[in-house]
Amino acid sequence: VKPTYYDRTEVDYVFAYVPVLEKFLVIGPELFHQKAMLGFRLDAPRNGARKGYRFAADYIWTNSMLT
């Protein structure tokens, strides 16, 4: 099966529902452009590292994004 890629010229944003959080993530083209998959951490690693990780909490959709 050939992977599907989203291109920034086709899609402005991708919304993804995360059942365990019961929230939607808003993913901009800087993350999804020409990528077949993305990964987000739900919790910080046990060693406390933050660099190089995408945390779901940083992409949660809020009503303030409508304005």
Side-chain angles (χ1 to χ4, degrees):
V1 176
K2 185 177 178 182
T4 300
Y5 298 94
Y6 290 111
D7 187 279
R8 66 172 45 110
T9 62
E10 300 171 311
V11 178
D12 293 326
Y13 291 94
V14 172
F15 288 77
Y17 183 69
V18 182
V20 70
L21 298 176
E22 296 183 348
K23 306 275 184 191
F24 283 94
L25 303 185
V26 180
I27 304 163
E30 68 281 356
L31 292 180
F32 70 73
H33 180 71
Q34 293 296 313
K35 296 212 172 92
M37 93 170 70
L38 292 170
F40 294 88
R41 288 205 58 114
L42 300 179
D43 298 311
R46 286 186 288 185
N47 68 2
R50 292 197 59 86
K51 188 174 182 179
Y53 292 104
R54 277 188 221 102
F55 292 94
D58 296 334
Y59 298 93
I60 293 175
W61 180 69
T62 65
N63 286 338
S64 64
M65 293 178 171
L66 295 175
T67 58

